[in-house]
Amino acid sequence: MQTVLKIEGMTCGGCVRSVEKALGQVAGVTSTHVDLAQGQATVEADNGVDPVAFVAAVEDAGYDARLAG
């Protein structure tokens, strides 16, 4: 399952690493790609993982996030 998130508040490579780390800690996530220039993250996860968990993980890391689309 692929999910795209729009993320606000990232300003540097350190922010990207923080978001990738936060998303990687969500159970069922198999890969993440965070694009600083586009302000978005693409998350690959097992079927059945609630995408709301991705938003919560990013917000817990200190950034604003929402599901794209």
Side-chain angles (χ1 to χ4, degrees):
M1 166 182 87
Q2 185 180 74
T3 303
V4 178
L5 303 174
K6 295 300 288 179
I7 302 172
E8 295 181 7
M10 295 188 303
T11 59
C12 65
C15 297
V16 169
R17 287 187 293 279
S18 293
V19 170
E20 287 178 339
K21 181 179 178 183
L23 289 168
Q25 292 176 343
V26 175
V29 169
T30 56
S31 70
T32 63
H33 174 74
V34 180
D35 186 316
L36 177 62
Q38 292 186 8
Q40 71 180 30
T42 304
V43 183
E44 294 283 345
D46 298 333
N47 288 332
V49 177
D50 187 352
V52 172
F54 307 146
V55 172
V58 172
E59 289 181 343
D60 286 349
Y63 304 92
D64 293 323
R66 63 178 170 81
L67 297 173

